[in-house]
Amino acid sequence: MRYAIDVNCPRTNCRLSAAVARTRTPQVRVAQHAVHMKSPEPTVAAVVRQQTGVAWSRARGLCTEGRVTVNGQRCLDPASRVSPGTVVAIDQRAPKLRTGPLAESAIVFYDRDVVVVDKPVGMLSVADEPGNKDTLVDYTQTLLRRLGGRGVDAKLGVVHRLDKDTSGLMVFARTVHAKRMLAAQFREHTIDRIYHAIVHGAVNATRVETHLVLDRGDGMRGSYGHFRRPKGDAPIKAKRSVTHISPIAGLVGATLVECRLETGRQHQIRIHLSGPGEDTCSS
């Protein structure tokens, strides 16, 4: 049974015109009826429960299983609110959404040469130790096998990384030629890498250039000469790093900023935003 629900909410109540279509026979029978909800903007789960008569747990389950759409888009959050004019469709016989550490929707683009993935927060880009398979590169490989096609078993080539607690797009190479070309572009800085972060206080547009070292003087990675007074030039092993910082919007006690990288060093953004008077809240 499939329900198409058109939500039309006046200020005082919420009218749901539900078209119930039974498609077991060649002729589609459509019945319409109206119900009233107490809330002017009910949750998706409330709409599902009202129209199907299922228990709350099942109503929420239909959402998380991918069997509910809102205005044509799959809605996985049963607590999201339904605004006036919204169309909610419920298909209890729709295929159940496959769940895992990385959703299929995380793959933004792929072809025979590359795959672009939306990395979530809290996931390693690559293994931090031998044998660790809980990584973005491994989960992406698994999703590609599900999608099928040529080259699904080929090892993905890593050309850049994101910190575990940073989200954003990552590109993996699917062929040796693609890996070589992408590595060259990253090395020559012809690829733009842009990040957003929230920083305490007011931040002005600036360019930060430092030399990063593994030990800034207290055992932590940082910029040479910023934690302790420098003694001569930066060590040979110090890596030059450059970040262009531009404010996007002022927040209460903080600033949303854009960080454009010239170089891509480990923890570069966090270090450059943790300079005098600046501290990263979230990135």
Side-chain angles (χ1 to χ4, degrees):
M1 184 177 293
R2 184 185 180 96
Y3 299 83
I5 304 166
D6 183 12
V7 180
N8 183 16
C9 301
R11 292 184 179 179
T12 56
N13 58 29
C14 181
R15 179 178 296 265
L16 306 177
S17 298
V20 183
R22 303 176 186 272
T23 58
R24 296 180 182 177
T25 61
Q27 294 182 344
V28 179
R29 299 179 181 177
V30 179
Q32 293 186 344
H33 60 277
V35 297
H36 295 273
M37 303 289 289
K38 294 182 179 179
S39 172
E41 290 193 353
T43 63
V44 174
V47 174
V48 172
R49 182 173 181 269
Q50 182 70 37
Q51 296 305 310
T52 62
V54 298
W56 277 111
S57 59
R58 182 56 187 150
R60 290 189 289 266
L62 288 171
C63 295
T64 57
E65 291 169 4
R67 291 169 171 161
V68 179
T69 61
V70 176
N71 288 336
Q73 299 295 321
R74 180 177 283 160
C75 179
L76 303 179
D77 182 9
S80 60
R81 295 286 174 174
V82 178
S83 302
T86 301
V87 176
V88 179
I90 309 159
D91 188 352
Q92 298 189 56
R93 295 185 176 181
K96 185 177 180 179
L97 180 67
R98 291 180 176 179
T99 58
L102 191 67
E104 290 185 9
S105 59
I107 294 185
V108 178
F109 171 84
Y110 75 99
D111 59 17
R112 68 171 190 164
D113 296 307
V114 300
V115 55
V116 180
V117 191
D118 190 1
K119 176 191 171 301
V121 172
M123 183 178 293
L124 290 170
S125 299
V126 296
D128 56 349
E129 59 184 23
N132 186 357
K133 298 294 184 181
D134 296 326
T135 66
L136 182 69
V137 64
D138 288 288
Y139 294 139
T140 301
Q141 188 83 70
T142 300
L143 289 182
L144 289 173
R145 291 193 184 100
R146 290 182 187 174
L147 296 172
R150 298 176 57 184
V152 294
D153 292 322
K155 185 178 180 180
L156 296 179
V158 179
V159 292
H160 70 125
R161 294 169 172 80
L162 289 179
D163 293 342
K164 180 179 179 180
D165 293 326
T166 300
S167 62
L169 296 181
M170 287 193 64
V171 57
F172 296 112
R174 302 187 68 188
T175 64
V176 174
H177 177 69
K179 182 177 181 180
R180 187 181 304 116
M181 296 297 292
L182 286 171
Q185 292 179 62
F186 276 104
R187 185 169 56 253
E188 296 166 4
H189 309 301
T190 56
I191 293 179
D192 287 331
R193 284 167 290 178
I194 300 172
Y195 300 82
H196 289 172
I198 296 177
V199 183
H200 286 296
V203 178
N204 297 319
T206 185
R207 176 182 181 273
V208 181
E209 178 175 353
T210 66
H211 287 78
L212 300 188
V213 291
L214 294 177
D215 185 353
R216 63 183 184 179
D218 60 349
M220 297 182 64
R221 184 187 300 270
S223 297
Y224 176 72
H226 282 212
F227 183 76
R228 290 182 177 176
R229 182 176 298 178
K231 298 179 179 180
D233 296 334
I236 297 177
K237 292 185 178 181
K239 296 183 177 181
R240 175 179 173 271
S241 56
V242 181
T243 305
H244 297 268
I245 303 171
S246 302
I248 297 175
L251 307 175
V252 178
T255 306
L256 174 64
V257 300
E258 173 186 285
C259 300
R260 186 182 296 269
L261 303 187
E262 274 191 32
T263 58
R265 312 302 185 191
Q266 187 175 11
H267 303 315
Q268 174 178 322
I269 294 176
R270 295 179 182 276
I271 293 172
H272 281 176
L273 291 181
S274 297
E278 296 172 358
D279 186 25
T280 305
C281 301
S282 175
S283 64

